[in-house]
Amino acid sequence: MGLEEKLPAGIALTTLENVVGYMRKASIWPATFGLACCAIEMMAVGTPHYDLARFGMERFAATPRQADLMIVAGRVSQKMAPVVRQVYDQMANPKWVISMGVCASSGGMFNNYAIVQGVDHIIPVDIYLPGCPPRPEMLLNAIIELHGQIQGSKLGVNRVAAARAAEAAALRATPTELMPATHDHEGLVGRNLLA
């Protein structure tokens, strides 16, 4: 016989981490942080058609001090990078980040000096959401995936150590412009690629 059979009805057995994880995932407030065209799709998630409130995200916080989720929606310019980091630093702990769209995740079609080639060079990212722009349903799926991560996250020093390790790994990542080429461009020089 297990412990469950000896206890009276109505007593639930769980861990403190499970209860805290459930409460955290059911009460996330995202920061209002749209940078480009992906922000339109992010705003659509808040409409009655998609009803973001059913996931405990009643409103987008107008200040980072009231937010614990940053959805980086769109490309991040070099001028905006320090602001992104400042907003992230002002957010309440624990905090999470979704990189929404290919531009936020890797620079997208903007492979130039003016655009950061992946927001993970500035802040640690928990979920990467591909697409140009990703549909609101895809953002809802990313939020559900994030809920799974939050539900299984550790408390106390374990969480702090994991967050520091993730941030250190993201900041050590090789910038896209320094990565080796994946294919040879020499064979294409002088050819009409549209013919």
Side-chain angles (χ1 to χ4, degrees):
M1 288 185 83
L3 180 63
E4 295 85 8
E5 288 85 16
K6 294 181 181 178
L7 292 174
I11 292 182
L13 297 177
T14 188
T15 64
L16 180 63
E17 285 183 342
N18 282 344
V19 172
V20 171
Y22 178 79
M23 288 188 283
R24 280 183 178 164
K25 81 173 187 176
S27 63
I28 295 176
W29 282 2
T32 305
F33 206 78
L35 297 172
C37 42
C38 288
I40 301 298
E41 303 296 323
M42 180 179 68
M43 287 183 251
V45 172
T47 64
H49 183 74
Y50 297 101
D51 193 20
L52 192 61
R54 64 190 159 140
F55 296 108
M57 302 167 118
E58 296 298 327
R59 66 178 182 88
F60 280 80
T63 173
R65 290 172 183 87
Q66 295 177 350
D68 48 12
L69 170 63
M70 178 189 279
I71 303 172
V72 181
R75 60 189 177 272
V76 180
S77 67
Q78 294 289 348
K79 280 185 161 184
M80 193 64 174
V83 177
V84 172
R85 183 62 201 206
Q86 181 179 10
V87 169
Y88 177 79
D89 289 339
Q90 291 175 352
M91 289 171 57
N93 280 321
K95 51 193 165 189
W96 299 276
V97 176
I98 294 177
S99 177
M100 182 176 179
V102 69
C103 293
S105 299
S106 67
M109 66 191 96
F110 302 102
N111 189 7
N112 58 40
Y113 66 91
I115 302 298
V116 175
Q117 300 300 303
V119 74
D120 55 357
H121 294 290
I122 305 165
I123 56 176
V125 175
D126 296 294
I127 300 284
Y128 292 93
L129 177 56
C132 183
R135 298 279 306 138
E137 295 90 351
M138 295 171 69
L139 179 56
L140 284 176
N141 185 56
I143 290 169
I144 292 169
E145 290 294 321
L146 182 65
H147 282 179
Q149 285 185 15
I150 294 169
Q151 179 74 46
S153 64
K154 302 294 180 191
L155 289 178
V157 273
N158 296 333
R159 169 76 179 154
V160 172
R164 285 187 181 150
E167 184 168 6
L171 294 175
R172 280 194 313 268
T174 305
T176 309
E177 65 267 11
L178 299 179
M179 292 180 179
T182 57
H183 53 279
D184 181 27
H185 292 280
E186 298 301 321
L188 303 176
V189 175
R191 289 181 46 204
N192 183 358
L193 300 178
L194 299 176

